[in-house]
Amino acid sequence: VVAFQNRNPIHRAHFELLKCAQRDVKDSILLVHPTCGPTQPGDIDGLVRIDTYEALRKETEQEFPMFRWAYLPYSMKMAGPREAIQHMIIRKNFGATHFIIGRDMAGTKSTITGDDFYGAYDAQETGKKFEAELGMKVTHYENMVYVDEETGYVEESVAKKTGKKVAKLSGTEFRRKLRAGEEIPEWFAFKSVVDILRKAGDSAFC
C-alpha cells in the first residue's frame, strides 16, 4: 500500500505522480490520504477540498480502481522533515507499506527573509534515514512538469536533460485566475475540481 499525503486540491501533476508511484510499486494499492484540517492562510478550506477529492474519486475510479481515497482530520504543522516522519507513522497505522515524499514536504518560509526554511529534499532524506526503523519504504519523486499534448507530464530532470520547454502556472496565478473567472488550462487542473472551487468562490480560501 503506497500512501500519498497532501493539503491542497489534487491537480494533474499530482495525479501523474500518483500513477507513477502505483506503477513503480508492483501490485500496489494507492492510498490517497490528504489532511483536511486547517492549514495556512490562503489555502483551500478543508470541506471544499473534500468536495474536490470526492469529485475526482468518482471521475477516476473506473480507470484507476486500485486507488483508495480517505481523509485525515489533521492540521498541518509545516514542520518539514520531522512532520514527514510523523506522517509516515500515521500512514503505517493505516496499513501503508510505502510513503510518497515530494519536494519540500511540509515546508515553510522564514518570516524574516522569506527564504525556504528547510532544504528542498530534507524531508526525503530524513524519511529514508529512518525508513528501516519505521518499517516504511520512502518513494520519492521530482516535480512532474507538463511539456505538451503529445509528451504530457515528465519528471523535471527529464525535461531539462532533453531541452524540453515546460508549461508553467504558479499556485498564486492559479488562484488569481480562479477569482477572476479566467480559463484554467486543462493540462494543469481537472475541470471537475475547478468547477467546485469556482462555485465556492472566496469562501473556498481560509
Side-chain angles (χ1 to χ4, degrees), residues 170-189:
S170 69
T172 300
E173 180 65 5
F174 171 66
R175 286 172 171 77
R176 187 197 68 75
K177 283 178 174 288
L178 266 182
R179 286 185 161 123
E182 296 177 11
E183 183 179 354
I184 307 291
E186 288 209 27
W187 63 260
F188 181 83

Side-chain angles (χ1 to χ4, degrees), residues 46-142:
L47 293 177
V48 176
R49 275 182 279 140
I50 290 175
D51 286 343
T52 68
Y53 301 141
E54 282 295 289
L56 194 52
R57 178 185 65 80
K58 291 173 184 174
E59 182 177 336
T60 60
E61 62 186 355
Q62 297 255 336
E63 187 176 359
F64 299 98
M66 71 293 288
F67 284 23
R68 302 288 188 271
W69 300 69
Y71 313 119
L72 185 68
Y74 170 99
S75 178
M76 292 288 292
K77 310 301 186 290
M78 313 314 292
R82 289 173 296 173
E83 187 158 10
I85 295 297
Q86 183 181 30
H87 282 290
M88 288 175 72
I89 295 169
I90 291 171
R91 275 37 180 236
K92 182 176 182 179
N93 289 335
F94 276 83
T97 56
H98 295 67
F99 185 63
I100 299 170
I101 298 183
R103 184 184 183 281
D104 196 27
M105 180 181 176
T108 189
K109 294 184 181 296
S110 166
T111 55
I112 299 172
T113 65
D115 295 333
D116 288 340
F117 194 79
Y118 303 105
Y121 300 102
D122 285 358
Q124 289 183 0
E125 292 304 317
T126 301
K128 286 189 286 186
K129 180 179 177 181
F130 292 103
E131 63 181 7
E133 182 179 341
L134 295 175
M136 287 277 283
K137 180 75 175 172
V138 171
T139 58
H140 53 90
Y141 295 89
E142 302 172 33

